[in-house]
Amino acid sequence: MNIGIDAKRLFFNSSGLGNYSRRFCNALASQLSPHDTHFILYSPKKIPPSHHFLKEIYFNNYSIATPYSPLMRSFGGALWRSWGMRQQWKHDQIQIYYGLSNELPFGEPQTDIREVAIIHDLIFLRFPHLYPRGDVFFYRHKTQFACRRAHALIAASEQTRRDILTFYPDTPPEKITVIPPACDAAFYDTDNNASVPASTAAALPPRFVLSVGAVTPRKNTAQSVEAFAHIADTFGDLHLLLVGKAVGMGVPYQEKIKAYIKSRHLQQRVHWLPTVDNATLPFLYRQAVAVLYPSQTEGFGMPIVEALASGTAVITTAGGCFEEAGGEAAVYVQNPNDAREIAAALEQLLSTAQLRQQHIIKGKPHAQLFTPENIARRIGAFHQAFVNG
């Protein structure tokens, strides 16, 4: 069987959907016989043998397909991904195609090819003011087409499944299967600090709260910083470590946060790391006394699982996908926009070692639901049911 995969994010995104794409492909390949399966990874640009993400593909039965003409290579391959790829499917004789990021190519359907679209979130419809208008327009129509055209949909969470049925009510509910993303195995190896340079460990503050995520209003980074400011005098040795990069609308948002930090004279206690490598991030989770993740909305909320798998208590938002990710192990705030409520939850957690330990103990078995092995089995079961259905 030839299986086509949308590999744009796989090759060109270092986090988020890129991590998801690589893990999904590895998971699916691990569940299928390499003798009976060949994967065709559709990339909008040529991939040299030295490409750094090739080393994260843990199977060999694949080839890479790229645009077949100068016209299709124009605009970074966008025209090919949206309109030209279907012609290539015929040549490659694929039987199944997986669109890994909320979209499928436009054009007439091919009766001998079955299509699956993975829908991560519909945040652009729930919070359209957080996106440029043009992006909302294109995201809305691409996702609507994918939901209509796909023979099956995979939703990243129950929250995403509900959003699909709310915003695209013509979608048959039986068409949707919920499979959350897998948490990387590195977060479960809580004793492995050998890969982290001693200089990195030495540069960290001795006691810190960790916040991980892109710098954007939706993530409520400002509320996390303000909550820390409220308790800074109570815990004089405590620091806040923010891991995340500001892009687009997040750039002016970050500047406002920096101005607030300066106004509270916290420049020496609030630290910003735009990016960290794959070995360092699990180490940061393990060293943190707590994790803050009071986001307004997400498709799933992977930092919650990463914290629990790492053996660290996490404070996040009540309801929606956050409780799917955190179960009974996370600490929840009702209003993620209320910095004082976040501060109160953080102060209670930091003041009571026994309470913190209780949440850590609950987190271990819950995090096991999202191991690469367990999610791979769910993906494999979906694929077999889809093939046989």
Side-chain angles (χ1 to χ4, degrees):
M1 174 179 287
N2 290 332
I3 299 175
I5 300 283
D6 175 11
K8 177 188 175 183
R9 308 286 186 176
L10 186 154
F11 288 123
F12 299 106
N13 284 58
S14 60
S15 60
L17 293 180
N19 286 334
Y20 178 90
S21 297
R22 291 183 287 275
R23 292 170 189 170
F24 181 92
C25 289
N26 287 327
L28 182 57
S30 73
Q31 302 298 299
L32 303 177
S33 168
H35 304 294
D36 302 327
T37 309
H38 183 77
F39 293 93
I40 301 173
L41 308 181
Y42 289 90
S43 169
K45 299 177 183 178
K46 289 187 176 181
I47 305 299
S50 60
H51 194 282
H52 52 289
F53 284 135
L54 285 174
K55 64 184 179 181
E56 294 188 27
I57 299 175
Y58 304 129
F59 54 96
N60 297 317
N61 50 320
Y62 73 89
S63 57
I64 300 173
T66 55
Y68 50 82
S69 71
L71 175 62
M72 289 295 140
R73 287 192 291 272
S74 60
F75 305 105
L79 183 65
W80 175 73
R81 286 188 75 241
S82 293
W83 294 98
M85 197 187 295
R86 287 182 179 274
Q87 295 301 315
Q88 209 150 330
W89 291 357
K90 295 178 181 178
H91 175 269
D92 296 333
Q93 298 182 322
I94 67 169
Q95 287 83 50
I96 293 177
Y97 178 81
Y98 280 94
L100 301 187
S101 54
N102 278 44
E103 61 182 297
L104 293 171
F106 296 110
E108 292 300 317
Q110 290 148 290
T111 56
D112 55 342
I113 299 175
R114 305 188 71 201
E115 302 174 44
V116 180
I118 296 172
I119 310 298
H120 298 275
D121 63 69
L122 297 182
I123 297 171
F124 56 90
L125 293 178
R126 299 184 75 210
F127 292 82
H129 61 283
L130 298 178
Y131 295 80
R133 288 185 179 180
D135 287 354
V136 173
F137 176 83
F138 285 111
Y139 294 162
R140 181 175 67 246
H141 287 284
K142 282 186 175 184
T143 306
Q144 183 178 38
F145 177 82
C147 289
R148 183 174 68 248
R149 171 59 57 81
H151 297 88
L153 300 170
I154 294 177
S157 63
E158 287 289 346
Q159 176 64 61
T160 298
R161 185 190 70 84
R162 290 192 294 269
D163 285 348
I164 293 170
L165 296 176
T166 297
F167 290 105
Y168 304 119
D170 293 339
T171 306
E174 63 274 13
K175 191 174 175 175
I176 308 171
T177 299
V178 175
I179 303 177
C183 181
D184 192 270
F187 294 97
Y188 295 89
D189 191 3
T190 55
D191 296 324
N192 182 19
N193 295 330
S195 58
V196 178
S199 58
T200 300
L204 292 174
R207 196 163 185 255
F208 64 90
V209 173
L210 180 66
S211 172
V212 176
V215 182
T216 177
R218 172 170 59 85
K219 302 281 187 181
N220 277 353
T221 312
Q223 281 77 1
S224 292
V225 172
E226 187 179 345
F228 175 78
H230 286 315
I231 67 166
D233 291 339
T234 303
F235 303 94
D237 63 337
L238 189 68
H239 293 242
L240 176 63
L241 183 58
L242 305 166
V243 176
K245 183 182 293 186
V247 294
M249 298 174 69
V251 174
Y253 179 67
Q254 184 180 45
E255 292 307 309
K256 290 181 180 179
I257 296 172
K258 288 181 176 179
Y260 175 81
I261 292 170
K262 186 176 181 179
S263 72
R264 296 298 296 264
H265 307 290
L266 292 171
Q267 300 97 312
Q268 302 305 313
R269 294 178 62 184
V270 179
H271 314 274
W272 226 307
L273 294 176
T275 58
V276 298
D277 58 49
N278 291 338
T280 302
L281 186 57
F283 177 75
L284 296 180
Y285 274 105
R286 293 194 290 270
Q287 298 302 115
V289 291
V291 171
L292 277 181
Y293 194 69
S295 178
Q296 297 177 41
T297 184
E298 297 291 334
F300 178 68
M302 183 52 71
I304 301 169
V305 178
E306 291 172 347
L308 299 179
S310 301
T312 304
V314 58
I315 296 172
T316 188
T317 305
C321 67
F322 304 105
E323 294 190 12
E324 296 178 52
E328 296 182 358
V331 177
Y332 296 102
V333 294
Q334 297 300 316
N335 183 2
N337 299 315
D338 186 346
R340 291 193 176 275
E341 184 184 355
I342 299 168
L346 183 58
E347 183 173 9
Q348 183 182 23
L349 193 63
L350 296 178
S351 300
T352 313
Q354 184 179 4
L355 176 64
R356 202 160 61 246
Q357 190 61 29
Q358 288 173 355
H359 285 284
I360 291 171
I361 291 172
K362 289 180 181 178
K364 290 293 186 178
H366 183 74
Q368 289 297 314
L369 298 173
F370 310 100
T371 63
E373 296 79 12
N374 283 335
I375 298 304
R377 282 191 284 270
R378 293 177 67 171
I379 291 172
F382 165 85
H383 179 83
Q384 294 299 344
F386 181 64
V387 169
N388 298 325

